[in-house]
Amino acid sequence: MRFSRAMLRWTMCTLLLCGVSGPAVAKVSEAEAAQLGKTLTPLGAEPGPNQDGTIPAWKGAAVFTEEQKHYTYAQLEKLRKTDPDRLNMTRTAQGEAVDKPLFTITAQNYTQYAEHLSAGHQEMFRRYPDYKMIVYPSVRGHFAPEEINEAVKYNATHAELDGTDDISGARLATPFPIPKNGAEVMWNNRLKFRGVSAVRRYNNQAIVDADGSFQISKLIEDVRFEYGNLKDKSRENNVIVYYLQRTLSPARVAGQITLVHEIFGKGTSGRNAWIYNPGLARVNRAPEVGFDNPSLGSDGLQFNDQIDMFNGSLSRYDWKLIGKREIYIPYNAYTMSDPRYKYKDIIRKGHINQDLARYELHRVWVVEANLRPGHAHQFKRRTFYLDEDSWTLSLVDCYDNRDKLWKLQEGHVITLPFLPGSTTVPEVIYDLQSGRYFITAMVNEDNVNNFELSFDREYFLPKNLRSLGERR
């Protein structure tokens, strides 16, 4: 495995960093913070290419056209119907060259590329003879508004983490652009700038059995971001995000509403949650919507703390910063959401249709989480891989309590220049022991997610759930 000088520096400096309990972690110096926007990108990545040029220099906003940076919801809806090729924003901005595969990794040759593959991806090749990864030229297009870049520089010298969940001194954006431990890296993902103040997401997900049969569930998710909200900076208390999920199908759970207040702070569980049950017409506090409790509609294939790749309190694990690696991750994955492909085109026996997936070589932060003594979780250990440019979590290797590889999470990263921000659509959780998998955040057969909405905080009060349910 080849490491850049900066990668070696981070690997060496983190060999002694494991748990983060104890006093607050020291802020970086003014001299270190001054490197943001110079020898580091504004968000803390290495701007240059890797040694052999297989990872290019960071381009950020220059990847996209001015038209793409100003797309409206109405324009996106029109493009889905009239010219879906233009939704593949990397290709249309950069030309056909970036859409020509470099090579394909298969079950027959994957060992040649093992240094750039996660443990979970290597197991997929061993398990499925037809599994493949089509590798394309890497394109580094994530960027943020200048106001966010300035907030990140401020955070570098002001934000502190006490224990695993108590953050102070941070505002608007990535709290720890020059991280010193694994927990800081994880918080960079959770508090990354999302590019919007609110969104209505149309989430379609499927439980896929080992024989390839599947059932679709349909959800509508309304979200108001408190942290990182450029339209309303009066963040309320320690709330990160307000989230309201309405289940449309299947019929047996249709009408159920879940409300979540995602929070951070010392001694919290990471969230407060309530559920409206349409059969009882009653709203109940949900004390166990977190950690390894199964998420609604996943048939146990997804734990609550795997939603959005990872969420909730960090308190049950010790977080070790391994450093950086160059890894093939699903990136610029616009084809996966192309409306011309239906869910039956995406879902296959054993794994998704890998002809539609795009993989690129990127530098990623690697964090290992080990279950703390005296704490319970069905995952004893997890390894997280986060894109250095956007702090987006793209891969997770999950191990059971026998320390055997159990699940692989895969988030297909796209950059949306009109926000701007990066997200993962879809997200897949492979059960490497049963052969089943769960896929969520599919939008191919539904409306474009609406990023132009706004929601008042009062919309997300528990007392509103019953009236929302009765209006169904």
Side-chain angles (χ1 to χ4, degrees), residues 412-429:
H412 293 252
V413 180
I414 58 172
T415 299
L416 302 175
F418 49 88
L419 295 180
S422 294
T423 188
T424 46
V425 286
E427 297 172 7
V428 191
I429 302 177

Side-chain angles (χ1 to χ4, degrees), residues 257 259 273-278 280-286 461-469:
I257 302 175
L259 171 65
W274 298 262
I275 292 178
Y276 169 77
N277 185 315
L280 300 175
R282 182 182 300 167
V283 177
N284 292 315
R285 186 71 179 263
L461 294 176
K463 67 181 183 181
N464 289 338
L465 293 190
R466 183 169 179 173
S467 61
L468 286 172

Side-chain angles (χ1 to χ4, degrees), residues 215-229:
Q215 179 183 19
I216 296 289
S217 298
K218 295 181 68 67
L219 310 169
I220 293 180
E221 301 165 333
D222 292 335
V223 182
R224 174 189 164 96
F225 296 98
E226 286 291 308
Y227 189 93
N229 188 330

